[in-house]
Amino acid sequence: MNLPLLTLGVTLLGCVLAVLGVRAWSAGQAQRQALVDRMAQTGPLAIESGRRRRFASLDRRLRRTRLGRRIERSLSATGLDLTAGEYAIYAAAALIALYGLMSAVFAPFFGVLAVLIGLWGANGFLNWQRIKRTEAFINQLPELTRVLANATQAGLALRTAIGMAVEELDDPAREELRRVADQLALGRSLDDALGELVERLPSRELTVLVTTLILSNRAGGTIVTSLRNLTETLEERKETRREVTTLLSQVKVTAVAVPVLGMGFLLIINGMRDGALDEMTSALGGRIAVLIAAGLYALGFVLINRLTRVRI
């Protein structure tokens, strides 16, 4: 064996591998810099939340029930990153904490009453989140119609225009339109995909937009003029809704302040005489009076909200 020649060959092979390694590293750095420059121009890519779900076993069991499916549908319309099982556990923990707090501050009977109100409030919270998300989506409708009009005027198909709107708009419109685009990619019809969008976020403005898109898609005509006119109408309705919300804000605060004042009066009574609420709720007449008072406060809250609900 010629040892010097073998050593020279191994050295040359190592040099070649080192050159190839440096070249590959340089190419990787160039590709990385090009990707960074491209992302600086187009913005970061949207990454779906991949967090580990809690209470998976409970969630699977809950989904088999009618209540679980109802909770899941409500959560899908709110945009909350929660499963039905997680929401059930968190709501139960909140009710237990509410019972302990109200029992310690007022009396055990008020803790039971607070749990009953909390059950109604848990469903009301989901409705509030859905309404809040719907309002945010409605505020984005003028921009959405403008993007669709520009895309269709450029000769793009409606499905492609929806994909462009996903890239151009922010949440919640981005997430909702992404669902529509995913359903279209899976082979669902445009009518079904947009109809499900209206079911998740019911509103007059969205219904008008979806009806316009569906009719234009069936007829095969141009929709640029309709979308332009609809954009102007939605802008005017957006300003009107904003003015109405500002005018009714004081009344809505009053609807919340009245029950809070009632709880404050209870604290004053209990502070004037320690154990007064326990004595009051230990008698049947006192419990009936508390229930009647709570019902009247709830009725006033509901009536004020109904009176301030203006349909535009």
Side-chain angles (χ1 to χ4, degrees), residues 129-275:
Q129 285 289 337
R130 178 181 59 81
I131 294 173
K132 181 180 177 182
R133 184 177 178 83
T134 303
E135 292 288 341
F137 187 82
I138 291 174
N139 292 332
Q140 292 179 291
L141 283 182
E143 187 177 358
L144 170 60
T145 55
R146 190 177 296 110
V147 172
L148 294 178
N150 294 336
T152 52
Q153 188 176 17
L156 300 178
L158 184 56
R159 295 171 181 251
T160 307
I162 293 176
M164 290 185 58
V166 173
E167 299 176 358
E168 294 292 335
L169 300 178
D170 298 328
D171 288 331
R174 174 185 295 177
E175 182 179 348
E176 293 296 335
L177 293 176
R178 182 183 290 117
R179 293 185 184 182
V180 175
D182 292 341
Q183 291 176 2
L184 294 176
L186 292 175
R188 294 196 65 182
S189 64
L190 183 66
D191 298 9
D192 295 338
L194 293 178
E196 186 174 337
L197 175 63
V198 174
E199 292 179 0
R200 287 196 303 268
L201 303 173
S203 65
R204 292 184 178 181
E205 293 86 349
L206 182 58
T207 302
V208 172
L209 174 60
V210 168
T211 303
T212 302
L213 296 177
I214 291 176
L215 292 178
S216 300
N217 184 66
R218 290 178 180 176
T222 178
I223 60 174
V224 177
T225 305
S226 300
L227 289 177
R228 296 291 187 192
N229 296 333
L230 187 58
T231 300
E232 298 177 359
T233 303
L234 290 174
E235 287 284 1
E236 295 176 358
R237 290 176 65 89
K238 179 180 177 180
E239 293 299 325
T240 304
R241 292 170 65 92
R242 185 179 302 172
E243 293 177 1
V244 171
T245 302
T246 303
L247 292 174
L248 298 178
S249 59
Q250 183 178 359
V251 182
K252 293 182 178 180
V253 171
T254 303
V256 178
V258 171
V260 173
L261 289 174
M263 296 181 63
F265 292 148
L266 291 176
L267 287 175
I268 293 175
I269 293 174
N270 201 40
M272 295 174 59
R273 179 182 175 185
D274 191 18

Side-chain angles (χ1 to χ4, degrees), residues 118-130:
L119 290 174
W120 171 79
N123 184 56
F125 172 76
L126 292 181
N127 291 332
W128 175 71
Q129 285 289 337
R130 178 181 59 81

Side-chain angles (χ1 to χ4, degrees), residues 25 28 49 79 90 97 105 137 145 165 169 193 221 229-230 273 281 292 296 300 302 311:
W25 179 80
S49 175
Y90 295 154
V105 175
F137 187 82
T145 55
L169 300 178
N229 296 333
L230 187 58
R273 179 182 175 185
T281 54
I292 292 175
L296 291 176
V302 172
R311 294 184 179 273

Side-chain angles (χ1 to χ4, degrees), residues 55 58 62 71 84-100 114-115 118-119 122:
F55 318 114
L58 174 64
L62 191 59
I71 294 176
E86 290 174 340
Y87 176 77
I89 292 296
Y90 295 154
L95 291 177
I96 294 174
L98 183 61
Y99 173 80
V115 169
L119 290 174

